Amino acid sequence: MIKTIDLSKEFGNNSVLKNITTTIQPGEVVAVIGPSGSGKSTFLRCLNLLEQPSSGEIWFHDNEVANSNANKTEIRKNIGMVFQHFHLFPHMTVLENVTYAPVKVKKLKKDEAEQIAKELLAKVGLTDKESSYPNRLSGGQKQRVAIARALAMDPEAMLFDEPTSALDPEMVKEVLDVMKDLAQTGMTMVVVTHEMNFAKEVADRIMFLDEGRLMEEDKPQTFFNQPKTTRAKEFLDKVL
Amino acid sequence: MNLDFSQIVPSIPFILEGIGATLKFVSVSILFGLVLGTILALCKITNKKILKWPADIYTSIFRGTPLILQLMLIHYAIPQLTGYDIAIFLSAVLAFGLNSAAYVSEIIRAGILAVDQGQVEAAEALGVPYPAMMLSIILPQALKNILPALMNEFITLTKESALVSTIGYMDLMRRAEIVGAQLYRNFEPLLIAGIIYWIMIFILTNIGSFVERRMRQSD
Ligand SMILES: Nc1ncnc2c1ncn2[C@@H]1O[C@H](COP(=O)(O)OP(=O)(O)OP(=O)(O)O)[C@@H](O)[C@H]1O
Ligand SMILES: [Mg+2]
């Protein structure tokens, strides 16, 4: 569904992504892991063109989107994103956060969008918070709203950039549980994470990035038990 | 010191009529300045030089010269150059609106830049087009932070509005002057005008605080 070919990104002369070639299949859950600064976020942000790649190709279904003047809106409508720091709209209630884009971008009717939003909020366990403002919510609740907001666009794939890294430990589980449920529904997911257990349990595939290179990609079983590269071994020694 | 208000009592309604004139031109100027200032601010934050430069030059000129000079230029120079007489009200609104836009644009620009970049990314990631993002996500958040600065600008404009008496606009100030000249007593009419200005600013300040409190509801 999403395919990158020799995807590279430089900031000035800092080469952050180097020739990443990979294919994300429909329904697949990919965990992207690697040391800090290895380019995980940049890779993710290239996929929905929040970052313009310096070279290489990105294919979404049968369209090359990185080099063509493809409509970025079309791609972003179909790929949801969840950020480490939530980025909820603070001046809107939870319900408004979730209905805003469907109404503005997909031109849904307001009551239609609210119907969908309420179902999604129920799914992430926040029915009672729909008229709260984001600053009344805990971190875990904010992130669940952010997930509902992204899902409200009915995307084909979801990108997560360290969705639990900014959370207090006791809130990590509630967010991971929502993500697990989502994975079970067959959602295509690319998740940058430091939660190795989540990666092991939920991911179909691990992408290990190091200094901008895709050093290894494999099934979690294989990757965690028999990493092929010394870089991966060193990394796993540190985090496990 | 002998204050005598009995003589000017008959002239008080004449002075009070100036309140409407002042309010009318101040509110139109504020609105004009706000709209133009927002547009200028949006030009300043783009990376398109073709928009940024004119906006920067505009601001530099209108902030770098006296308001009274701008007012005189507009009121007396336009007829001289074009042969068309310009109505006093129009000159006043143009001068104050254009001038205010320069200040407002700087306030709004700073406000927009202070909004968390994550908000832009969240909107972009949802496919929200730029104009909608600015109008319903970035500007409302910016506005909340800059409201005190904007109120300050509106208060300044209201007070400075007395300058239009110099081109003959029949505002509060001008009427007080006229009454003063008629009665050969300046203190009393000026005192009345001063109190009215103070009350207007007092009300404006309170409206500002009220709006600010309303906007902080989400905090
Ligand atoms: N907008 C930018 N401008 C310049 N350099 C950037 C920018 N964004 C990222 N970088 C650089 O690119 C490199 C990779 O950053 P990236 O955020 O992708 O790493 P990461 O793997 O997500 O790290 P972390 O685990 O800390 O989030 C870093 O050296 C970073 O400084
Ligand atoms: Mg990162």
Side-chain angles (χ1 to χ4, degrees):
Chain A
M1 175 154 76
I2 307 174
K3 189 162 142 189
T4 68
I5 302 174
D6 281 334
L7 175 65
S8 300
K9 174 72 185 177
E10 286 115 43
F11 290 109
N13 26 8
N14 182 8
S15 174
V16 173
L17 284 182
K18 295 162 190 153
N19 303 82
I20 309 276
T21 299
T22 193
T23 304
I24 293 147
Q25 303 291 347
E28 196 180 20
V29 177
V30 178
V32 182
I33 64 177
S36 181
S38 55
K40 306 181 295 293
S41 297
T42 307
F43 171 70
L44 206 65
R45 294 158 55 81
C46 281
L47 295 183
N48 67 350
L49 299 181
L50 273 189
E51 218 68 83
Q52 179 64 39
S54 306
S55 63
E57 298 170 13
I58 299 174
W59 289 77
F60 186 64
H61 293 301
D62 296 326
N63 301 310
E64 205 288 317
V65 293
N67 301 300
S68 60
N69 284 329
N71 193 342
K72 287 182 184 172
T73 307
E74 281 310 307
I75 297 141
R76 291 169 181 168
K77 263 161 60 175
N78 285 309
I79 303 183
M81 186 162 199
V82 174
F83 302 86
Q84 180 176 359
H85 295 287
F86 333 122
H87 301 324
L88 293 179
F89 305 132
H91 59 304
M92 298 183 188
T93 63
V94 165
L95 193 65
E96 287 164 352
N97 263 279
V98 181
T99 54
Y100 175 74
V103 171
K104 247 314 173 303
V105 184
K106 288 183 82 179
K107 312 285 178 212
L108 290 194
K109 291 215 177 58
K110 191 160 173 262
D111 48 348
E112 229 177 316
E114 282 183 358
Q115 177 78 34
I116 293 167
K118 284 176 181 177
E119 281 166 26
L120 287 168
L121 287 173
K123 226 177 250 174
V124 299
L126 289 172
T127 303
D128 52 328
K129 297 291 182 195
E130 64 176 53
S131 46
S132 306
Y133 283 96
N135 61 351
R136 292 262 176 264
L137 306 180
S138 70
Q141 291 170 332
K142 281 183 197 164
Q143 196 59 299
R144 285 184 282 151
V145 173
I147 293 172
R149 177 176 71 176
L151 288 175
M153 292 295 284
D154 194 19
E156 294 176 57
M158 288 277 283
L159 311 176
F160 295 82
D161 193 357
E162 301 196 28
T164 58
S165 295
L167 300 179
D168 291 336
E170 73 270 20
M171 290 165 189
V172 169
K173 186 171 176 299
E174 62 190 55
V175 171
L176 290 182
D177 284 347
V178 167
M179 291 169 62
K180 273 181 207 166
D181 287 348
L182 190 58
Q184 248 138 41
T185 65
M187 175 60 77
T188 309
M189 292 164 64
V190 185
V191 187
V192 175
T193 186
H194 291 302
E195 295 289 332
M196 293 304 147
N197 287 325
F198 177 83
K200 256 185 230 175
E201 275 176 53
V202 183
D204 300 306
R205 176 158 55 103
I206 307 287
M207 285 177 70
F208 174 69
L209 294 192
D210 187 61
E211 290 177 357
R213 285 201 182 75
L214 178 53
M215 300 290 282
E216 257 180 78
E217 64 179 331
D218 227 322
K219 288 197 163 38
Q221 273 277 327
T222 326
F223 176 78
F224 283 106
N225 296 328
Q226 298 123 27
K228 292 187 204 70
T229 58
T230 39
R231 298 295 294 185
K233 277 187 198 116
E234 284 167 10
F235 176 74
L236 287 175
D237 281 344
K238 269 186 217 142
V239 298
L240 289 180
Chain B
M1 184 164 115
N2 58 335
L3 280 182
D4 181 6
F5 283 91
S6 60
Q7 275 191 55
I8 76 152
V9 166
S11 306
I12 287 181
F14 175 75
I15 296 180
L16 291 185
E17 268 176 61
I19 298 178
T22 292
L23 283 182
K24 189 169 115 194
F25 127 77
V26 163
S27 49
V28 175
S29 301
I30 285 179
L31 220 62
F32 178 34
L34 200 56
V35 172
L36 183 60
T38 307
I39 294 170
L40 286 170
L42 291 174
C43 292
K44 286 178 187 178
I45 57 162
T46 61
N47 38 24
K48 296 197 182 71
K49 287 213 171 67
I50 204 169
L51 294 175
K52 199 171 149 15
W53 276 31
D56 284 340
I57 291 170
Y58 177 97
T59 306
S60 170
I61 290 174
F62 276 89
R63 288 205 307 182
T65 54
L67 175 53
I68 190 161
L69 180 130
Q70 294 162 20
L71 182 66
M72 298 273 171
L73 262 183
I74 288 172
H75 190 62
Y76 298 118
I78 289 183
Q80 190 188 328
L81 291 178
T82 63
Y84 290 108
D85 262 349
I86 180 162
I88 293 177
F89 180 78
L90 192 60
S91 319
V93 164
L94 267 180
F96 278 75
L98 292 174
N99 182 273
S100 180
Y103 288 91
V104 166
S105 72
E106 276 302 293
I107 296 173
I108 295 183
R109 185 187 66 88
I112 290 174
L113 293 181
V115 174
D116 179 9
Q117 180 64 19
Q119 294 290 311
V120 176
E121 296 198 342
E124 281 180 353
L126 287 165
V128 179
Y130 186 83
M133 171 182 87
M134 271 300 158
L135 271 180
S136 44
I137 294 172
I138 306 302
L139 279 175
Q141 292 183 56
L143 209 59
K144 200 169 101 176
N145 296 329
I146 62 179
L147 204 64
L150 274 183
M151 281 317 291
N152 236 338
E153 164 60 21
F154 298 159
I155 287 170
T156 306
L157 193 150
T158 307
K159 287 188 295 186
E160 297 291 302
S161 76
L163 279 181
V164 291
S165 59
T166 59
I167 58 166
Y169 186 65
M170 290 291 275
D171 73 330
L172 205 52
M173 185 68 194
R174 175 85 177 155
R175 282 164 189 263
E177 281 172 5
I178 290 173
V179 172
Q182 278 170 353
L183 302 178
Y184 301 107
R185 300 190 72 93
N186 281 308
F187 193 83
E188 292 85 350
L190 287 178
L191 189 67
I192 290 175
I195 290 170
I196 296 172
Y197 276 114
W198 179 79
I199 293 173
M200 289 198 307
I201 302 295
F202 183 81
I203 294 172
L204 194 58
T205 309
N206 277 294
I207 294 175
S209 316
F210 174 75
V211 175
E212 213 175 314
R213 249 175 297 146
R214 282 296 299 272
M215 286 184 112
R216 299 219 175 272
Q217 255 180 1
S218 57
D219 284 353

